Amino acid sequence: MKELLAVLIERLTPIVFDAIQARQQTQTTPVTREQIVADLTADIDRILGEGDAWRATHPTV
Amino acid sequence: MTSRDRHLILRVVGPPLTVVLWAALLASSCGHQPPTINPADLELWRARQAVIALGTVQRAAIALNETQACTPLPCHPFLSDAHTKLVIDAVGDAVTAIRAAPNGWLAVARSAVQTIRQRVDADPTAARLRPYLVGLDAALEDAQRATP
C-alpha cells in the first residue's frame, strides 16, 4: 500500500506543479489577445493529443 | 466545499491524494487576471483558465490509470480504463467546444463536470474521481470570479 501511495504521489505531484506554474504564468505575464489565442490553441492541441495518445494504447476500451 | 465533500475526499482517496487536491485548490484560490489584460479579452483569458483545469484533470486521470494497484490481487489500474476514457472523452469534447466558442467556456466546462459526475454517482467504483470534480468546480468558480 505504501508503495502504491508513493507511486501516486510521484505521478501526480508534477501534474499539480505544472498546473500551478501554468496558472501563475497566465496571471502575472502581460498578454495580448493574440497571445491568449495562441496559448489557448496550444493548450487545447496538447490536451487532445494526450487523449489521442492514451486511446492509441487502449484501442479496445 | 461542504464538510460532506471533505469527508468523502478523505474516505475515498486517502490523505496523500487529498494533499494533491488541496494543492490544486490552493493554486486556484490565488487566481487573478494578468495586470494588463484588455477587459474585452477577459472571457478569452477565463476560457484558458478552464482549459488548464480540464487538462490537469485529464493528466491526473491518465496518471492514475498508469498506476497499478495490487490490493486486492490481481494488479489493476488504480483508475480503470473505462473511467479514464470517460474523463478523456468529456475533457476532449469540452476543449473542442471551447475552441469553437471560447465565450461559452463556463457552460461547456460545467457540462463536462456534470457528465463525469453522473457516472461517478451511478458507479461507486468511479468514486475516486470525485475529488477531481470538486477541484475542477473550484477552479471554474475561481475563473468566473475574476473581474477587470
Side-chain angles (χ1 to χ4, degrees), chain A residues 8 11-12 15-16 18-20 23 26-27 29-30 33 37 39 43-45 47 50 54-55 58 61, chain B residues 17 20 27 31-32 34 36 41 44-45 48-49 56 58-59 64-67 81 85 88-89 99 142:
Chain A
L8 287 171
R11 286 182 179 274
L12 293 176
I15 293 172
V16 172
D18 285 351
I20 292 170
R23 286 182 61 89
T26 68
Q27 292 161 0
T29 308
R33 181 177 184 83
V37 170
D39 290 342
D43 287 337
I44 291 172
D45 288 344
I47 290 167
E50 289 173 354
W54 186 88
R55 287 193 191 92
H58 299 74
V61 181
Chain B
L17 292 187
V20 172
H32 54 83
T36 62
D41 299 332
L44 199 56
W45 177 81
R48 185 168 181 233
Q49 304 304 298
T56 300
Q58 176 177 279
R59 289 186 66 195
L64 294 176
N65 178 252
E66 291 172 344
T67 302
D81 287 352
K85 184 176 186 298
I88 288 174
D89 287 347
R99 189 206 299 269
D142 179 64

mmCIF file of all heavy atoms in Angstrom, chain A residues 8 11-12 15-16 18-20 23 26-27 29-30 33 37 39 43-45 47 50 54-55 58 61, chain B residues 17 20 27 31-32 34 36 41 44-45 48-49 56 58-59 64-67 81 85 88-89 99 142:
data_model
loop_
_atom_site.group_PDB
_atom_site.id
_atom_site.type_symbol
_atom_site.label_atom_id
_atom_site.label_comp_id
_atom_site.label_asym_id
_atom_site.label_seq_id
_atom_site.Cartn_x
_atom_site.Cartn_y
_atom_site.Cartn_z
ATOM 1 N N LEU A 8 1.698 7.043 -6.585
ATOM 2 C CA LEU A 8 0.658 8.032 -6.887
ATOM 3 C C LEU A 8 1.165 9.454 -6.659
ATOM 4 O O LEU A 8 0.948 10.349 -7.472
ATOM 5 C CB LEU A 8 -0.579 7.761 -6.022
ATOM 6 C CG LEU A 8 -1.409 6.546 -6.417
ATOM 7 C CD1 LEU A 8 -2.462 6.265 -5.359
ATOM 8 C CD2 LEU A 8 -2.052 6.744 -7.781
ATOM 9 N N ARG A 11 3.605 10.421 -9.351
ATOM 10 C CA ARG A 11 2.992 10.705 -10.646
ATOM 11 C C ARG A 11 2.157 11.989 -10.634
ATOM 12 O O ARG A 11 2.107 12.708 -11.625
ATOM 13 C CB ARG A 11 2.115 9.532 -11.075
ATOM 14 C CG ARG A 11 2.915 8.330 -11.541
ATOM 15 C CD ARG A 11 1.980 7.230 -11.994
ATOM 16 N NE ARG A 11 2.725 6.073 -12.476
ATOM 17 C CZ ARG A 11 3.163 5.953 -13.723
ATOM 18 N NH1 ARG A 11 2.943 6.910 -14.589
ATOM 19 N NH2 ARG A 11 3.818 4.875 -14.093
ATOM 20 N N LEU A 12 1.483 12.242 -9.530
ATOM 21 C CA LEU A 12 0.540 13.359 -9.502
ATOM 22 C C LEU A 12 1.191 14.691 -9.143
ATOM 23 O O LEU A 12 0.731 15.741 -9.585
ATOM 24 C CB LEU A 12 -0.595 13.060 -8.523
ATOM 25 C CG LEU A 12 -1.515 11.914 -8.937
ATOM 26 C CD1 LEU A 12 -2.541 11.629 -7.856
ATOM 27 C CD2 LEU A 12 -2.214 12.237 -10.255
ATOM 28 N N ILE A 15 2.155 16.922 -12.036
ATOM 29 C CA ILE A 15 0.971 17.428 -12.733
ATOM 30 C C ILE A 15 0.431 18.662 -12.023
ATOM 31 O O ILE A 15 0.091 19.668 -12.642
ATOM 32 C CB ILE A 15 -0.105 16.329 -12.804
ATOM 33 C CG1 ILE A 15 0.389 15.192 -13.699
ATOM 34 C CG2 ILE A 15 -1.425 16.889 -13.325
ATOM 35 C CD1 ILE A 15 -0.505 13.952 -13.689
ATOM 36 N N VAL A 16 0.377 18.591 -10.696
ATOM 37 C CA VAL A 16 -0.117 19.733 -9.929
ATOM 38 C C VAL A 16 0.825 20.922 -10.053
ATOM 39 O O VAL A 16 0.391 22.063 -10.273
ATOM 40 C CB VAL A 16 -0.297 19.343 -8.442
ATOM 41 C CG1 VAL A 16 -0.619 20.564 -7.605
ATOM 42 C CG2 VAL A 16 -1.397 18.309 -8.304
ATOM 43 N N ASP A 18 2.822 21.585 -12.531
ATOM 44 C CA ASP A 18 2.673 22.136 -13.878
ATOM 45 C C ASP A 18 1.441 23.030 -13.959
ATOM 46 O O ASP A 18 1.475 24.094 -14.577
ATOM 47 C CB ASP A 18 2.550 20.994 -14.901
ATOM 48 C CG ASP A 18 3.887 20.326 -15.172
ATOM 49 O OD1 ASP A 18 4.924 20.848 -14.710
ATOM 50 O OD2 ASP A 18 3.891 19.267 -15.840
ATOM 51 N N ALA A 19 0.349 22.564 -13.342
ATOM 52 C CA ALA A 19 -0.886 23.342 -13.375
ATOM 53 C C ALA A 19 -0.712 24.670 -12.640
ATOM 54 O O ALA A 19 -1.145 25.723 -13.112
ATOM 55 C CB ALA A 19 -2.026 22.540 -12.747
ATOM 56 N N ILE A 20 -0.051 24.600 -11.479
ATOM 57 C CA ILE A 20 0.185 25.826 -10.715
ATOM 58 C C ILE A 20 1.048 26.798 -11.527
ATOM 59 O O ILE A 20 0.761 27.990 -11.622
ATOM 60 C CB ILE A 20 0.856 25.499 -9.372
ATOM 61 C CG1 ILE A 20 -0.123 24.730 -8.479
ATOM 62 C CG2 ILE A 20 1.337 26.766 -8.674
ATOM 63 C CD1 ILE A 20 0.513 24.158 -7.225
ATOM 64 N N ARG A 23 -0.918 28.366 -14.393
ATOM 65 C CA ARG A 23 -1.848 29.393 -13.924
ATOM 66 C C ARG A 23 -1.103 30.658 -13.514
ATOM 67 O O ARG A 23 -1.514 31.769 -13.833
ATOM 68 C CB ARG A 23 -2.670 28.867 -12.751
ATOM 69 C CG ARG A 23 -3.732 27.864 -13.155
ATOM 70 C CD ARG A 23 -4.533 27.438 -11.946
ATOM 71 N NE ARG A 23 -5.209 28.577 -11.339
ATOM 72 C CZ ARG A 23 -6.419 28.984 -11.690
ATOM 73 N NH1 ARG A 23 -7.073 28.371 -12.632
ATOM 74 N NH2 ARG A 23 -6.980 30.015 -11.099
ATOM 75 N N THR A 26 -0.081 32.679 -16.492
ATOM 76 C CA THR A 26 -1.154 33.426 -17.141
ATOM 77 C C THR A 26 -1.574 34.625 -16.310
ATOM 78 O O THR A 26 -2.164 35.562 -16.827
ATOM 79 C CB THR A 26 -2.405 32.547 -17.375
ATOM 80 O OG1 THR A 26 -2.981 32.216 -16.110
ATOM 81 C CG2 THR A 26 -2.059 31.292 -18.140
ATOM 82 N N GLN A 27 -1.283 34.592 -15.012
ATOM 83 C CA GLN A 27 -1.780 35.641 -14.129
ATOM 84 C C GLN A 27 -0.770 36.754 -13.875
ATOM 85 O O GLN A 27 -1.097 37.768 -13.295
ATOM 86 C CB GLN A 27 -2.194 35.019 -12.787
ATOM 87 C CG GLN A 27 -3.425 34.138 -12.944
ATOM 88 C CD GLN A 27 -3.594 33.165 -11.802
ATOM 89 O OE1 GLN A 27 -2.792 33.140 -10.876
ATOM 90 N NE2 GLN A 27 -4.622 32.350 -11.863
ATOM 91 N N THR A 29 1.903 37.536 -16.381
ATOM 92 C CA THR A 29 2.546 37.988 -17.604
ATOM 93 C C THR A 29 1.596 38.885 -18.382
ATOM 94 O O THR A 29 0.458 38.498 -18.648
ATOM 95 C CB THR A 29 2.929 36.776 -18.485
ATOM 96 O OG1 THR A 29 3.677 35.864 -17.694
ATOM 97 C CG2 THR A 29 3.730 37.221 -19.688
ATOM 98 N N PRO A 30 2.057 40.091 -18.768
ATOM 99 C CA PRO A 30 1.215 40.927 -19.621
ATOM 100 C C PRO A 30 0.887 40.188 -20.918
ATOM 101 O O PRO A 30 1.747 39.532 -21.499
ATOM 102 C CB PRO A 30 2.087 42.154 -19.889
ATOM 103 C CG PRO A 30 3.054 42.184 -18.758
ATOM 104 C CD PRO A 30 3.305 40.744 -18.421
ATOM 105 N N ARG A 33 -4.341 39.812 -26.902
ATOM 106 C CA ARG A 33 -5.365 38.873 -27.340
ATOM 107 C C ARG A 33 -4.742 37.774 -28.201
ATOM 108 O O ARG A 33 -5.084 36.588 -28.046
ATOM 109 C CB ARG A 33 -6.437 39.626 -28.135
ATOM 110 C CG ARG A 33 -7.563 38.719 -28.625
ATOM 111 C CD ARG A 33 -8.652 39.489 -29.356
ATOM 112 N NE ARG A 33 -9.744 38.607 -29.726
ATOM 113 C CZ ARG A 33 -10.729 38.252 -28.923
ATOM 114 N NH1 ARG A 33 -10.764 38.720 -27.689
ATOM 115 N NH2 ARG A 33 -11.687 37.448 -29.323
ATOM 116 N N VAL A 37 -4.928 33.735 -27.512
ATOM 117 C CA VAL A 37 -5.456 32.785 -28.501
ATOM 118 C C VAL A 37 -4.415 31.722 -28.819
ATOM 119 O O VAL A 37 -4.730 30.521 -28.886
ATOM 120 C CB VAL A 37 -5.888 33.531 -29.784
ATOM 121 C CG1 VAL A 37 -6.198 32.539 -30.897
ATOM 122 C CG2 VAL A 37 -7.097 34.413 -29.504
ATOM 123 N N ASP A 39 -1.896 30.695 -26.935
ATOM 124 C CA ASP A 39 -1.710 29.816 -25.770
ATOM 125 C C ASP A 39 -2.897 28.864 -25.609
ATOM 126 O O ASP A 39 -2.726 27.680 -25.294
ATOM 127 C CB ASP A 39 -1.541 30.655 -24.500
ATOM 128 C CG ASP A 39 -0.213 31.399 -24.474
ATOM 129 O OD1 ASP A 39 0.709 31.019 -25.232
ATOM 130 O OD2 ASP A 39 -0.097 32.366 -23.695
ATOM 131 N N ASP A 43 -2.726 24.848 -25.740
ATOM 132 C CA ASP A 43 -3.208 24.015 -24.623
ATOM 133 C C ASP A 43 -4.215 22.975 -25.113
ATOM 134 O O ASP A 43 -4.161 21.806 -24.719
ATOM 135 C CB ASP A 43 -3.863 24.897 -23.551
ATOM 136 C CG ASP A 43 -2.853 25.693 -22.748
ATOM 137 O OD1 ASP A 43 -1.684 25.273 -22.686
ATOM 138 O OD2 ASP A 43 -3.232 26.740 -22.199
ATOM 139 N N ILE A 44 -5.144 23.420 -25.955
ATOM 140 C CA ILE A 44 -6.179 22.500 -26.452
ATOM 141 C C ILE A 44 -5.549 21.412 -27.317
ATOM 142 O O ILE A 44 -5.889 20.225 -27.186
ATOM 143 C CB ILE A 44 -7.267 23.286 -27.226
ATOM 144 C CG1 ILE A 44 -8.066 24.153 -26.249
ATOM 145 C CG2 ILE A 44 -8.185 22.335 -27.999
ATOM 146 C CD1 ILE A 44 -9.038 25.112 -26.909
ATOM 147 N N ASP A 45 -4.620 21.795 -28.174
ATOM 148 C CA ASP A 45 -3.939 20.797 -29.015
ATOM 149 C C ASP A 45 -3.212 19.770 -28.151
ATOM 150 O O ASP A 45 -3.226 18.569 -28.440
ATOM 151 C CB ASP A 45 -2.945 21.479 -29.967
ATOM 152 C CG ASP A 45 -3.648 22.234 -31.086
ATOM 153 O OD1 ASP A 45 -4.847 21.984 -31.311
ATOM 154 O OD2 ASP A 45 -2.992 23.088 -31.736
ATOM 155 N N ILE A 47 -3.904 18.900 -25.011
ATOM 156 C CA ILE A 47 -4.872 18.051 -24.295
ATOM 157 C C ILE A 47 -5.453 16.990 -25.232
ATOM 158 O O ILE A 47 -5.541 15.808 -24.880
ATOM 159 C CB ILE A 47 -5.993 18.935 -23.695
ATOM 160 C CG1 ILE A 47 -5.427 19.770 -22.546
ATOM 161 C CG2 ILE A 47 -7.168 18.081 -23.228
ATOM 162 C CD1 ILE A 47 -6.348 20.896 -22.095
ATOM 163 N N GLU A 50 -2.831 14.369 -25.910
ATOM 164 C CA GLU A 50 -2.652 13.425 -24.792
ATOM 165 C C GLU A 50 -3.780 12.392 -24.768
ATOM 166 O O GLU A 50 -3.561 11.213 -24.492
ATOM 167 C CB GLU A 50 -2.591 14.188 -23.465
ATOM 168 C CG GLU A 50 -1.307 14.980 -23.279
ATOM 169 C CD GLU A 50 -1.323 15.880 -22.037
ATOM 170 O OE1 GLU A 50 -2.389 15.980 -21.374
ATOM 171 O OE2 GLU A 50 -0.282 16.484 -21.745
ATOM 172 N N TRP A 54 -3.423 8.297 -25.403
ATOM 173 C CA TRP A 54 -3.946 7.276 -24.474
ATOM 174 C C TRP A 54 -4.848 6.302 -25.228
ATOM 175 O O TRP A 54 -4.753 5.085 -25.050
ATOM 176 C CB TRP A 54 -4.702 7.938 -23.328
ATOM 177 C CG TRP A 54 -5.134 6.931 -22.289
ATOM 178 C CD1 TRP A 54 -4.421 6.506 -21.214
ATOM 179 C CD2 TRP A 54 -6.379 6.209 -22.265
ATOM 180 N NE1 TRP A 54 -5.130 5.561 -20.515
ATOM 181 C CE2 TRP A 54 -6.335 5.357 -21.136
ATOM 182 C CE3 TRP A 54 -7.508 6.209 -23.073
ATOM 183 C CZ2 TRP A 54 -7.390 4.513 -20.809
ATOM 184 C CZ3 TRP A 54 -8.561 5.363 -22.746
ATOM 185 C CH2 TRP A 54 -8.496 4.521 -21.621
ATOM 186 N N ARG A 55 -5.734 6.848 -26.076
ATOM 187 C CA ARG A 55 -6.641 5.968 -26.843
ATOM 188 C C ARG A 55 -5.850 5.004 -27.725
ATOM 189 O O ARG A 55 -6.239 3.847 -27.899
ATOM 190 C CB ARG A 55 -7.580 6.805 -27.700
ATOM 191 C CG ARG A 55 -8.663 7.522 -26.928
ATOM 192 C CD ARG A 55 -9.733 8.070 -27.876
ATOM 193 N NE ARG A 55 -10.629 8.968 -27.193
ATOM 194 C CZ ARG A 55 -10.448 10.277 -27.121
ATOM 195 N NH1 ARG A 55 -9.401 10.839 -27.699
ATOM 196 N NH2 ARG A 55 -11.312 11.035 -26.464
ATOM 197 N N HIS A 58 -4.905 2.095 -25.844
ATOM 198 C CA HIS A 58 -6.033 1.353 -25.271
ATOM 199 C C HIS A 58 -7.128 1.213 -26.328
ATOM 200 O O HIS A 58 -8.253 1.728 -26.144
ATOM 201 C CB HIS A 58 -6.589 2.063 -24.029
ATOM 202 C CG HIS A 58 -5.591 2.202 -22.924
ATOM 203 N ND1 HIS A 58 -4.548 3.098 -22.965
ATOM 204 C CD2 HIS A 58 -5.466 1.516 -21.761
ATOM 205 C CE1 HIS A 58 -3.834 2.971 -21.843
ATOM 206 N NE2 HIS A 58 -4.355 2.034 -21.116
ATOM 207 N N VAL A 61 -10.860 -0.160 -25.398
ATOM 208 C CA VAL A 61 -11.713 0.454 -24.360
ATOM 209 C C VAL A 61 -12.864 1.215 -25.008
ATOM 210 O O VAL A 61 -12.639 2.000 -25.910
ATOM 211 C CB VAL A 61 -10.916 1.425 -23.467
ATOM 212 C CG1 VAL A 61 -11.828 2.014 -22.389
ATOM 213 C CG2 VAL A 61 -9.743 0.699 -22.842
ATOM 214 N N LEU B 17 -3.598 11.702 -1.673
ATOM 215 C CA LEU B 17 -4.276 12.326 -2.809
ATOM 216 C C LEU B 17 -5.004 13.587 -2.379
ATOM 217 O O LEU B 17 -5.186 14.506 -3.167
ATOM 218 C CB LEU B 17 -5.238 11.336 -3.456
ATOM 219 C CG LEU B 17 -4.595 10.152 -4.156
ATOM 220 C CD1 LEU B 17 -5.635 9.343 -4.904
ATOM 221 C CD2 LEU B 17 -3.507 10.610 -5.102
ATOM 222 N N VAL B 20 -2.666 16.413 -2.625
ATOM 223 C CA VAL B 20 -2.544 16.844 -4.017
ATOM 224 C C VAL B 20 -3.733 17.710 -4.409
ATOM 225 O O VAL B 20 -3.585 18.766 -5.025
ATOM 226 C CB VAL B 20 -2.443 15.615 -4.952
ATOM 227 C CG1 VAL B 20 -2.515 16.038 -6.409
ATOM 228 C CG2 VAL B 20 -1.160 14.849 -4.682
ATOM 229 N N ALA B 27 -3.900 26.621 -5.350
ATOM 230 C CA ALA B 27 -3.460 27.354 -6.532
ATOM 231 C C ALA B 27 -4.618 28.119 -7.156
ATOM 232 O O ALA B 27 -4.485 29.285 -7.527
ATOM 233 C CB ALA B 27 -2.854 26.395 -7.546
ATOM 234 N N GLY B 31 -6.143 32.816 -7.756
ATOM 235 C CA GLY B 31 -6.262 33.263 -9.133
ATOM 236 C C GLY B 31 -6.656 34.719 -9.271
ATOM 237 O O GLY B 31 -7.470 35.233 -8.525
ATOM 238 N N HIS B 32 -6.049 35.384 -10.245
ATOM 239 C CA HIS B 32 -6.444 36.726 -10.616
ATOM 240 C C HIS B 32 -5.984 36.950 -12.043
ATOM 241 O O HIS B 32 -5.098 36.263 -12.532
ATOM 242 C CB HIS B 32 -5.835 37.772 -9.685
ATOM 243 C CG HIS B 32 -4.348 37.654 -9.571
ATOM 244 N ND1 HIS B 32 -3.486 38.203 -10.492
ATOM 245 C CD2 HIS B 32 -3.568 37.004 -8.684
ATOM 246 C CE1 HIS B 32 -2.233 37.938 -10.135
ATOM 247 N NE2 HIS B 32 -2.254 37.198 -9.052
ATOM 248 N N PRO B 34 -4.273 38.742 -15.399
ATOM 249 C CA PRO B 34 -2.983 39.397 -15.585
ATOM 250 C C PRO B 34 -3.129 40.911 -15.530
ATOM 251 O O PRO B 34 -4.216 41.448 -15.740
ATOM 252 C CB PRO B 34 -2.534 38.908 -16.962
ATOM 253 C CG PRO B 34 -3.745 38.404 -17.634
ATOM 254 C CD PRO B 34 -4.671 37.942 -16.559
ATOM 255 N N THR B 36 -2.284 43.497 -17.354
ATOM 256 C CA THR B 36 -2.538 44.409 -18.467
ATOM 257 C C THR B 36 -3.602 43.905 -19.429
ATOM 258 O O THR B 36 -3.661 44.354 -20.547
ATOM 259 C CB THR B 36 -1.237 44.632 -19.264
ATOM 260 O OG1 THR B 36 -0.818 43.362 -19.800
ATOM 261 C CG2 THR B 36 -0.156 45.213 -18.393
ATOM 262 N N ASP B 41 -10.957 41.110 -23.551
ATOM 263 C CA ASP B 41 -10.336 39.795 -23.735
ATOM 264 C C ASP B 41 -10.467 38.915 -22.494
ATOM 265 O O ASP B 41 -9.916 37.815 -22.448
ATOM 266 C CB ASP B 41 -8.844 39.952 -24.071
ATOM 267 C CG ASP B 41 -8.640 40.716 -25.360
ATOM 268 O OD1 ASP B 41 -9.545 40.660 -26.222
ATOM 269 O OD2 ASP B 41 -7.591 41.362 -25.505
ATOM 270 N N LEU B 44 -11.863 35.388 -22.870
ATOM 271 C CA LEU B 44 -10.904 34.505 -23.533
ATOM 272 C C LEU B 44 -9.865 34.007 -22.529
ATOM 273 O O LEU B 44 -9.500 32.825 -22.511
ATOM 274 C CB LEU B 44 -10.229 35.268 -24.677
ATOM 275 C CG LEU B 44 -9.539 34.461 -25.767
ATOM 276 C CD1 LEU B 44 -10.494 33.477 -26.408
ATOM 277 C CD2 LEU B 44 -8.957 35.400 -26.813
ATOM 278 N N TRP B 45 -9.415 34.907 -21.677
ATOM 279 C CA TRP B 45 -8.439 34.525 -20.648
ATOM 280 C C TRP B 45 -9.072 33.529 -19.667
ATOM 281 O O TRP B 45 -8.449 32.544 -19.279
ATOM 282 C CB TRP B 45 -7.970 35.770 -19.897
ATOM 283 C CG TRP B 45 -7.036 35.470 -18.776
ATOM 284 C CD1 TRP B 45 -5.699 35.237 -18.852
ATOM 285 C CD2 TRP B 45 -7.396 35.344 -17.391
ATOM 286 N NE1 TRP B 45 -5.198 34.970 -17.593
ATOM 287 C CE2 TRP B 45 -6.208 35.031 -16.687
ATOM 288 C CE3 TRP B 45 -8.594 35.473 -16.682
ATOM 289 C CZ2 TRP B 45 -6.193 34.846 -15.310
ATOM 290 C CZ3 TRP B 45 -8.570 35.283 -15.310
ATOM 291 C CH2 TRP B 45 -7.387 34.969 -14.651
ATOM 292 N N ARG B 48 -9.136 30.092 -21.039
ATOM 293 C CA ARG B 48 -7.861 29.365 -20.929
ATOM 294 C C ARG B 48 -7.678 28.807 -19.518
ATOM 295 O O ARG B 48 -7.123 27.732 -19.350
ATOM 296 C CB ARG B 48 -6.684 30.281 -21.293
ATOM 297 C CG ARG B 48 -5.396 29.478 -21.300
ATOM 298 C CD ARG B 48 -4.220 30.156 -21.906
ATOM 299 N NE ARG B 48 -3.094 29.231 -21.840
ATOM 300 C CZ ARG B 48 -1.913 29.527 -21.324
ATOM 301 N NH1 ARG B 48 -1.677 30.744 -20.870
ATOM 302 N NH2 ARG B 48 -0.967 28.629 -21.281
ATOM 303 N N GLN B 49 -8.128 29.553 -18.509
ATOM 304 C CA GLN B 49 -8.041 29.016 -17.149
ATOM 305 C C GLN B 49 -8.827 27.709 -17.027
ATOM 306 O O GLN B 49 -8.381 26.742 -16.403
ATOM 307 C CB GLN B 49 -8.588 30.029 -16.130
ATOM 308 C CG GLN B 49 -7.921 31.390 -16.161
ATOM 309 C CD GLN B 49 -6.421 31.297 -15.975
ATOM 310 O OE1 GLN B 49 -5.943 30.844 -14.939
ATOM 311 N NE2 GLN B 49 -5.663 31.708 -16.966
ATOM 312 N N THR B 56 -5.593 19.461 -16.556
ATOM 313 C CA THR B 56 -4.997 18.900 -15.347
ATOM 314 C C THR B 56 -5.767 17.662 -14.886
ATOM 315 O O THR B 56 -5.170 16.649 -14.494
ATOM 316 C CB THR B 56 -4.981 19.956 -14.226
ATOM 317 O OG1 THR B 56 -4.203 21.073 -14.669
ATOM 318 C CG2 THR B 56 -4.377 19.399 -12.946
ATOM 319 N N GLN B 58 -7.497 15.678 -16.798
ATOM 320 C CA GLN B 58 -7.220 14.588 -17.742
ATOM 321 C C GLN B 58 -5.852 13.959 -17.470
ATOM 322 O O GLN B 58 -5.710 12.728 -17.457
ATOM 323 C CB GLN B 58 -7.259 15.111 -19.183
ATOM 324 C CG GLN B 58 -6.871 14.026 -20.192
ATOM 325 C CD GLN B 58 -6.965 14.484 -21.625
ATOM 326 O OE1 GLN B 58 -8.040 14.491 -22.193
ATOM 327 N NE2 GLN B 58 -5.837 14.871 -22.216
ATOM 328 N N ARG B 59 -4.838 14.803 -17.239
ATOM 329 C CA ARG B 59 -3.498 14.266 -16.962
ATOM 330 C C ARG B 59 -3.500 13.443 -15.679
ATOM 331 O O ARG B 59 -2.839 12.408 -15.587
ATOM 332 C CB ARG B 59 -2.476 15.400 -16.859
ATOM 333 C CG ARG B 59 -2.160 16.059 -18.193
ATOM 334 C CD ARG B 59 -1.037 17.059 -18.061
ATOM 335 N NE ARG B 59 0.222 16.407 -17.720
ATOM 336 C CZ ARG B 59 1.291 17.042 -17.263
ATOM 337 N NH1 ARG B 59 1.247 18.349 -17.088
ATOM 338 N NH2 ARG B 59 2.393 16.392 -16.987
ATOM 339 N N LEU B 64 -3.326 8.192 -12.988
ATOM 340 C CA LEU B 64 -3.936 7.198 -12.104
ATOM 341 C C LEU B 64 -4.156 5.877 -12.847
ATOM 342 O O LEU B 64 -4.040 4.801 -12.271
ATOM 343 C CB LEU B 64 -5.268 7.708 -11.561
ATOM 344 C CG LEU B 64 -5.209 8.919 -10.633
ATOM 345 C CD1 LEU B 64 -6.615 9.368 -10.250
ATOM 346 C CD2 LEU B 64 -4.398 8.616 -9.384
ATOM 347 N N ASN B 65 -4.477 5.980 -14.140
ATOM 348 C CA ASN B 65 -4.677 4.769 -14.944
ATOM 349 C C ASN B 65 -3.368 4.013 -15.158
ATOM 350 O O ASN B 65 -3.343 2.783 -15.242
ATOM 351 C CB ASN B 65 -5.305 5.153 -16.288
ATOM 352 C CG ASN B 65 -5.509 3.964 -17.208
ATOM 353 O OD1 ASN B 65 -4.803 3.825 -18.192
ATOM 354 N ND2 ASN B 65 -6.460 3.113 -16.882
ATOM 355 N N GLU B 66 -2.261 4.757 -15.228
ATOM 356 C CA GLU B 66 -0.955 4.126 -15.447
ATOM 357 C C GLU B 66 -0.400 3.508 -14.168
ATOM 358 O O GLU B 66 0.581 2.773 -14.205
ATOM 359 C CB GLU B 66 0.042 5.160 -15.982
ATOM 360 C CG GLU B 66 -0.270 5.619 -17.403
ATOM 361 C CD GLU B 66 0.601 6.783 -17.840
ATOM 362 O OE1 GLU B 66 1.226 7.424 -16.961
ATOM 363 O OE2 GLU B 66 0.645 7.055 -19.047
ATOM 364 N N THR B 67 -1.033 3.833 -13.035
ATOM 365 C CA THR B 67 -0.555 3.321 -11.747
ATOM 366 C C THR B 67 -1.252 1.997 -11.417
ATOM 367 O O THR B 67 -2.478 1.916 -11.464
ATOM 368 C CB THR B 67 -0.847 4.348 -10.635
ATOM 369 O OG1 THR B 67 -0.208 5.582 -10.982
ATOM 370 C CG2 THR B 67 -0.309 3.857 -9.304
ATOM 371 N N ASP B 81 -9.676 1.602 -16.993
ATOM 372 C CA ASP B 81 -9.631 2.101 -18.371
ATOM 373 C C ASP B 81 -10.946 2.789 -18.739
ATOM 374 O O ASP B 81 -10.947 3.835 -19.392
ATOM 375 C CB ASP B 81 -9.376 0.937 -19.338
ATOM 376 C CG ASP B 81 -7.944 0.423 -19.279
ATOM 377 O OD1 ASP B 81 -7.105 1.059 -18.606
ATOM 378 O OD2 ASP B 81 -7.666 -0.613 -19.907
ATOM 379 N N LYS B 85 -11.266 6.654 -19.827
ATOM 380 C CA LYS B 85 -11.845 7.052 -21.123
ATOM 381 C C LYS B 85 -12.992 8.039 -20.926
ATOM 382 O O LYS B 85 -13.146 8.984 -21.707
ATOM 383 C CB LYS B 85 -12.329 5.819 -21.874
ATOM 384 C CG LYS B 85 -12.864 6.123 -23.265
ATOM 385 C CD LYS B 85 -13.242 4.853 -23.998
ATOM 386 C CE LYS B 85 -13.632 5.146 -25.451
ATOM 387 N NZ LYS B 85 -14.803 6.010 -25.555
ATOM 388 N N ILE B 88 -11.336 11.350 -20.431
ATOM 389 C CA ILE B 88 -10.690 11.822 -21.665
ATOM 390 C C ILE B 88 -11.748 12.274 -22.678
ATOM 391 O O ILE B 88 -11.592 13.315 -23.338
ATOM 392 C CB ILE B 88 -9.792 10.713 -22.244
ATOM 393 C CG1 ILE B 88 -8.555 10.542 -21.360
ATOM 394 C CG2 ILE B 88 -9.376 11.038 -23.680
ATOM 395 C CD1 ILE B 88 -7.670 9.370 -21.745
ATOM 396 N N ASP B 89 -12.809 11.503 -22.814
ATOM 397 C CA ASP B 89 -13.864 11.878 -23.760
ATOM 398 C C ASP B 89 -14.540 13.189 -23.346
ATOM 399 O O ASP B 89 -14.767 14.071 -24.178
ATOM 400 C CB ASP B 89 -14.914 10.760 -23.848
ATOM 401 C CG ASP B 89 -14.401 9.546 -24.598
ATOM 402 O OD1 ASP B 89 -13.344 9.650 -25.250
ATOM 403 O OD2 ASP B 89 -15.057 8.486 -24.524
ATOM 404 N N ARG B 99 -12.751 25.626 -27.985
ATOM 405 C CA ARG B 99 -12.001 26.167 -29.124
ATOM 406 C C ARG B 99 -12.972 26.833 -30.125
ATOM 407 O O ARG B 99 -12.675 27.901 -30.670
ATOM 408 C CB ARG B 99 -11.243 25.053 -29.835
ATOM 409 C CG ARG B 99 -10.268 25.575 -30.893
ATOM 410 C CD ARG B 99 -9.991 24.576 -31.997
ATOM 411 N NE ARG B 99 -9.390 23.337 -31.602
ATOM 412 C CZ ARG B 99 -8.068 23.099 -31.551
ATOM 413 N NH1 ARG B 99 -7.230 24.049 -31.840
ATOM 414 N NH2 ARG B 99 -7.617 21.914 -31.189
ATOM 415 N N ASP B 142 -13.359 29.981 -9.525
ATOM 416 C CA ASP B 142 -12.299 30.980 -9.415
ATOM 417 C C ASP B 142 -12.166 31.774 -10.713
ATOM 418 O O ASP B 142 -12.078 33.002 -10.698
ATOM 419 C CB ASP B 142 -10.986 30.280 -9.073
ATOM 420 C CG ASP B 142 -9.852 31.265 -8.975
ATOM 421 O OD1 ASP B 142 -9.905 32.122 -8.079
ATOM 422 O OD2 ASP B 142 -8.926 31.196 -9.798
#
